Amino acid sequence: MATQVNHPFRGSILKHKTQPEAPFTTATTVRTTRFQVINAASSTGSSARQLIESGTIRTISPKDASTALNSEGFVLLDVRPNWEIEKARVKGSLHVPIFVEDKDNSPITLLKKWVHFGYIGLWTGQYFTTLNSEFVSQVENAIPRKDTKLLVACGEGLRSITAATKLYNGGYRNLGWLGGGFNRSKDNDFPEVEGKEKLQYATIGGASYYFLQLLILLQGKG
């Protein structure tokens, strides 16, 4: 309950509190960016950080993934885009991308694409993407039972955080997150791998790009 302040110094206290606060320094902004991106996974409902830290979404390491899939009944949901799936994928996994190629040709999007290809795309080999607005409904079509155990995975772990949070807010309650993504897996963690490359190398160079994509979403500019 709020209490009325009746004190000779009340006026000076209020004057002090109404003075503008000093702006955050650049260093503070840099230190908090990582946590901001994690919280950007959902603008409504539970945040990714809360779900992971509370254990509501279970963190499963690549070395424990086979046990989760083979002994605990988890279904592996790969949320990487098609061009990464073509390089390498776990046999039998379900594929629904959280990001899809951005085919919008508006002036602002074209400018973003120009910046991407000039400064990012040439060395990452990634397409310019946008968040898949139909992601949850596509998962629901493939797996309508929301008590199904889903292990959500991507290359580096950022996109799968976003995907798992959206699925939780969409009603799925038995969710696992592949901590660190396929990039941290070893050759024998997923013995049945299809594709021309090793699974842990199929996203090399793309992590920084998707970090940028999530940061754009956080800032409301994507």
Side-chain angles (χ1 to χ4, degrees), residues 95-191:
H95 172 228
V96 180
I98 185 63
F99 282 97
V100 292
E101 184 178 357
D102 191 346
K103 297 182 179 181
D104 179 20
N105 290 320
S106 66
I108 294 178
T109 301
L110 289 175
L111 177 61
K112 290 180 181 179
K113 289 181 179 181
W114 178 81
V115 172
H116 161 64
F117 287 118
Y119 294 96
I120 301 172
L122 291 178
W123 60 272
T124 65
Q126 301 291 342
Y127 293 90
F128 191 83
T129 61
T130 187
L131 197 63
N132 180 7
S133 61
E134 299 179 357
F135 171 73
V136 174
S137 63
Q138 289 173 354
V139 175
E140 289 173 337
N141 288 335
I143 304 180
R145 290 194 57 175
K146 294 190 175 181
D147 58 349
T148 302
K149 294 181 178 180
L150 292 177
L151 175 55
V152 189
C154 68
E156 68 298 305
L158 290 174
R159 293 165 289 178
S160 51
I161 286 179
T162 303
T165 304
K166 286 187 173 295
L167 290 173
Y168 180 84
N169 291 330
Y172 288 89
R173 290 295 181 266
N174 290 321
L175 296 169
W177 168 61
L178 188 69
F182 294 127
N183 289 2
R184 294 190 179 181
S185 65
K186 305 299 182 183
D187 287 345
N188 296 324
D189 287 343
F190 298 94

